[in-house]
């Protein structure tokens, strides 16, 4: 039981593949390595077979495995040092890139702004020209029509469309109640007729108010006359239409299957001959909703014909111009924030880099000059002792003489791996980074202000594209 527990907690992996025992710079005792490599067990097994043969001139497999393993751990530690040095070189290079970025940050920022302006300039120039043309058109229109006030029109028509739809819905339900008694389908049947009637009243009233009757405000006498005629014609037709609807409704309620024809004939014979109160209410409600729709159409744009449209043309052109110039301004602010942030980050990182580079350099230097030689010398001695132990144990269990090379000292060599020149070069780079950092830190506060000045100058130059200012 004691032997089993000892084997369970003893460092004893087989020698195959990548041996993780030597994955770091730890020092493993000779006794643990005897167990780890199973030196005595292997020596006994080989000795009982009288292996290696007495005539053998070259080391056997186990001897070679130990030699190879020694070379491997030395090469692994050399690779560790190389990785550290390479990392130092890379970090120093990145620190220099940050220094170079700070050197050219103003020119890079200005070049970025100029590139953006070059890309946007054709579009902005075209938009600016369109603004000038439409502003001239507006001024000419105002001059020809003796207009000195600003155009009065809504920013959006959704409210006026809502009123229009509401009028159709409300009048439809009111009309449907009047037609319900004469319809075989009741309220639902009367609703179909009512929607058509209310749609004609409301839609035509809105269109006349928005386009035709509006001409009566023009200073052009011909257009004014056309507008006044439009008012008259619309008023007459609306009155005739609603009176006809009243007559049709009377015939409809009486159950006349030809109510449309007979109602129209009754209107022609006696337009105001309605005797039913509900029919008169239908006429008055239809006329009232038509008037409301007319007013809705008049208010949906400036009352002077064409003034709202020509003003909106200028507004749309200005919106396009301001949008393009606004994009440039937004980009300029974004670039400014980005370069400012990068500069602040570079200064902060360089301070950390300088400290980290120096401490890492000193650590690597200590490892190369002291730890590495001690590590290599230690394992050179230990592996020579392991091979010696293997030979001694092998002699105990063999019947024949040992090979002559058993009496020779094992050859285990390692290279000093002098990195003084590289370390000195790195030290000079790190000192330079530290000294330049001090200069850059002092300069950066001034360059931050210069970046803002470049941005403000760029934004001021954009004003020449604003035709209004």
């Amino acid at each position: 039981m004691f032997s089993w527990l000892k084997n369970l907690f003893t460092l004893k992996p087989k020698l195959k593949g990548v041996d993780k025992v030597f994955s770091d710079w730890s020092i493993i005792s000779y006794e643990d390595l005897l167990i780890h490599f199973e030196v005595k067990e292997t020596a006994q097994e080989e000795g009982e077979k009288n292996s290696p043969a007495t005539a053998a001139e070259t080391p056997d497999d186990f001897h070679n495995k130990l030699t190879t393993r020694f070379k491997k751990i030395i090469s692994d530690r050399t690779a560790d040092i190389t990785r550290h040095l390479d990392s130092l070189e890379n970090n120093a290079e990145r620190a220099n890139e940050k220094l170079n970025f700070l050197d050219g940050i103003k020119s890079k920022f200005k070049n970025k702004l100029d590139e953006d302006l070059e890309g946007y300039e054709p579009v902005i120039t075209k938009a600016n020209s369109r603004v000038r043309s439409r502003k001239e058109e507006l001024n000419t229109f105002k001059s020809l029509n003796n207009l000195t006030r600003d155009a009065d029109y809504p920013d959006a028509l959704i409210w006026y469309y809502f009123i229009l739809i509401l009028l159709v819905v409300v009048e439809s339900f009111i009309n449907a109640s009047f037609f319900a008694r004469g319809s075989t389908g009741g309220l639902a049947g009367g609703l179909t007729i009512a929607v058509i009637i209310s749609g004609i009243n409301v839609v035509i009233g809105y269109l006349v108010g928005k386009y035709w009757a509006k001409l009566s405000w023009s200073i052009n006498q011909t257009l004014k006359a056309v507008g006044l005629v439009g008012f008259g014609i619309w008023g007459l037709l609306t009155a005739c239409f609603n009176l006809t609807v009243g007559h049709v409704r009377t015939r409809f309620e009486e159950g006349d299957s030809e109510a449309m024809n007979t109602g129209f004939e009754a209107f022609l014979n006696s337009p105001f001959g309605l005797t039913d109160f509900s029919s008169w209410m239908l006429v008055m409600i239809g006329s009232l909703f038509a008037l409301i729709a007319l007013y809705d159409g008049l208010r949906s744009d400036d009352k002077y014909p064409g003034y709202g449209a020509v003003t909106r043309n200028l507004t749309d052109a200005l919106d396009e111009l301001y949008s393009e110039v606004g994009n440039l301004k937004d980009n300029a602010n974004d670039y400014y924030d980005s370069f400012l942030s990068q500069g602040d980050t570079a200064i902060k990182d360089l301070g950390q880099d300088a400290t980290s580079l120096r401490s890492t350099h000193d650590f690597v230097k200590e490892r190369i000059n002291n730890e590495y030689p001690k590590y290599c010398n230690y394992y050179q001695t230990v592996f020579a002792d392991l091979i010696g132990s293997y030979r001694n144990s092998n002699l105990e269990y063999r019947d024949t003489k040992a090979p002559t090379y058993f009496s020779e000292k094992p050859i285990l060599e390692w290279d000093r791996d002098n990195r003084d020149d590289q370390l000195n070069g790195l030290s000079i780079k790190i000192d330079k980074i530290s000294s330049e950092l001090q200069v850059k830190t002092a300069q950066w506060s001034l360059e931050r202000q210069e970046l803002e000045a470049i941005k403000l100058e760029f934004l001021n130059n954009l004003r020449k594209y604003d035709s209004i200012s």
Side-chain angles (χ1 to χ4, degrees):
M1 176 62 75
F2 177 77
S3 176
W4 179 82
L5 288 173
K6 182 179 179 182
N7 289 334
L8 179 64
F9 294 103
T10 299
L11 184 66
K12 194 178 178 181
K14 295 293 184 180
L15 186 63
K16 59 181 179 179
V18 178
D19 193 343
K20 295 182 179 179
V21 173
F22 302 98
S23 61
D24 56 26
W25 290 76
S26 60
I27 298 296
I28 304 171
S29 69
Y30 166 75
E31 290 76 13
D32 287 338
L33 290 177
L34 273 177
I35 298 171
H36 173 70
F37 287 115
E38 299 179 339
V39 174
K40 292 185 178 181
E41 292 84 348
T42 304
Q44 179 179 349
E45 181 181 342
E46 295 298 316
E48 290 174 349
K49 296 187 296 185
N50 292 314
S51 177
T54 304
E57 297 181 356
T58 57
D60 63 345
D61 290 343
F62 187 73
H63 181 123
N64 287 332
K65 285 180 181 179
L66 290 177
T67 303
T68 301
R69 196 68 192 91
F70 169 75
K71 293 179 179 178
K72 178 67 168 55
I73 65 172
I74 299 303
S75 66
D76 287 345
R77 300 295 76 79
T78 304
D80 287 345
I81 291 172
T82 301
R83 281 193 295 270
H84 279 299
L85 290 172
D86 288 345
S87 177
L88 265 176
E89 294 279 6
N90 292 333
N91 290 338
E93 186 60 34
R94 282 194 289 270
N96 279 319
E97 289 174 0
K98 294 171 186 175
L99 289 170
N100 293 334
F101 171 77
L102 289 170
D103 281 336
I105 193 169
K106 290 187 296 184
S107 60
K108 290 176 183 177
F109 178 51
K110 192 173 186 307
N111 290 340
K112 193 66 177 174
L113 295 178
D114 291 341
E115 288 175 9
D116 252 27
L117 179 59
E118 185 178 353
Y120 274 88
E121 193 166 19
V123 177
I124 293 177
T125 302
K126 185 177 180 180
N128 187 272
S129 176
R130 189 180 295 111
V131 167
R132 289 196 180 95
S133 298
R134 291 186 178 179
K135 185 179 180 183
E136 186 177 345
E137 290 173 4
L138 176 60
N139 290 335
T140 301
F141 184 90
K142 291 172 70 174
S143 176
L144 292 175
N145 294 279
N146 295 330
L147 293 168
T148 56
R149 62 176 178 83
D150 293 332
D152 180 20
Y153 59 88
D155 294 330
L157 295 176
I158 186 170
W159 169 249
Y160 296 89
Y161 291 148
F162 170 75
I163 292 176
L164 196 66
I165 294 171
L166 182 64
L167 289 173
V168 172
V169 172
V170 173
E171 187 183 355
S172 295
F173 276 102
I174 293 174
N175 290 350
S177 66
F178 285 116
F179 279 95
R181 283 177 287 177
S183 171
T184 57
L187 183 62
L191 186 61
T192 303
I193 301 172
V195 169
I196 297 174
I197 294 171
S198 61
I200 292 173
N201 267 327
V202 172
V203 174
I204 292 180
Y206 178 83
L207 293 175
V208 169
K210 187 174 181 65
Y211 299 107
W212 190 1
K214 193 184 292 288
L215 296 175
S216 59
W217 275 276
S218 175
I219 65 170
N220 185 296
Q221 296 304 311
T222 301
L223 294 178
K224 182 183 286 290
V226 171
L228 291 173
V229 169
F231 264 125
I233 293 175
W234 170 81
L236 178 62
L237 291 178
T238 299
C240 291
F241 174 74
N242 284 288
L243 285 169
T244 300
V245 169
H247 283 284
V248 170
R249 185 259 170 198
T250 300
R251 298 295 185 274
F252 195 79
E253 188 176 18
E254 293 173 353
D256 189 347
S257 60
E258 299 292 332
M260 293 294 181
N261 295 329
T262 56
F264 182 65
E265 291 174 359
F267 164 74
L268 292 177
N269 292 329
S270 178
F272 301 100
L274 292 171
T275 57
D276 184 70
F277 176 75
S278 296
S279 296
W280 274 113
M281 283 294 295
L282 190 64
V283 172
M284 288 187 288
I285 290 171
S287 300
L288 175 62
F289 277 61
L291 280 170
I292 295 174
L294 177 76
Y295 181 76
D296 190 49
L298 289 171
R299 292 295 301 163
S300 66
D301 203 348
D302 190 272
K303 67 180 182 180
Y304 198 89
Y307 191 24
V310 72
T311 302
R312 281 192 297 276
N313 286 340
L314 173 59
T315 301
D316 292 343
L318 280 171
D319 288 343
E320 181 185 357
L321 174 62
Y322 292 154
S323 175
E324 298 298 340
V325 174
N327 288 337
L328 264 179
K329 292 178 179 178
D330 291 342
N331 288 347
N333 287 315
D334 289 343
Y335 295 148
Y336 170 74
D337 292 339
S338 176
F339 277 98
L340 203 63
S341 175
Q342 290 181 65
D344 289 340
T345 302
I347 289 292
K348 179 182 177 182
D349 288 349
L350 279 167
Q352 297 174 347
D353 290 345
T355 302
S356 176
L357 285 169
R358 175 51 61 191
S359 62
T360 304
H361 173 273
D362 293 345
F363 167 78
V364 174
K365 184 177 181 179
E366 172 65 20
R367 172 154 284 183
I368 292 173
N369 293 336
N370 295 313
E371 189 173 352
Y372 179 75
K374 291 178 181 178
Y375 183 91
C376 296
N377 284 330
Y378 173 79
Y379 280 111
Q380 183 183 40
T381 301
V382 165
F383 272 82
D385 292 344
L386 289 173
I387 294 172
S389 178
Y390 168 73
R391 291 175 178 178
N392 293 334
S393 297
N394 183 274
L395 286 170
E396 293 178 9
Y397 294 98
R398 63 186 299 136
D399 297 327
T400 60
K401 291 179 62 176
T404 55
Y405 73 82
F406 264 40
S407 60
E408 299 173 359
K409 185 178 180 179
I411 300 176
L412 297 174
E413 297 178 344
W414 60 275
D415 184 20
R416 172 69 176 73
D417 195 24
N418 190 299
R419 305 291 184 96
D420 289 346
D421 290 343
Q422 188 175 7
L423 285 169
N424 290 335
L426 278 169
S427 183
I428 293 172
K429 285 183 180 180
I430 295 169
D431 289 341
K432 183 180 178 182
I433 290 170
S434 298
S435 62
E436 288 191 15
L437 171 61
Q438 295 177 2
V439 176
K440 293 300 179 187
T441 302
Q443 290 180 348
W444 176 237
S445 60
L446 297 175
E447 292 183 350
R448 291 176 101 260
Q449 298 175 9
E450 292 175 9
L451 282 179
E452 185 175 10
I454 293 172
K455 182 190 76 170
L456 293 176
E457 181 183 3
F458 177 79
L459 295 178
N460 287 332
N461 288 336
L462 290 181
R463 292 181 179 179
K464 67 182 180 182
Y465 296 103
D466 182 358
S467 63
I468 299 300
S469 61

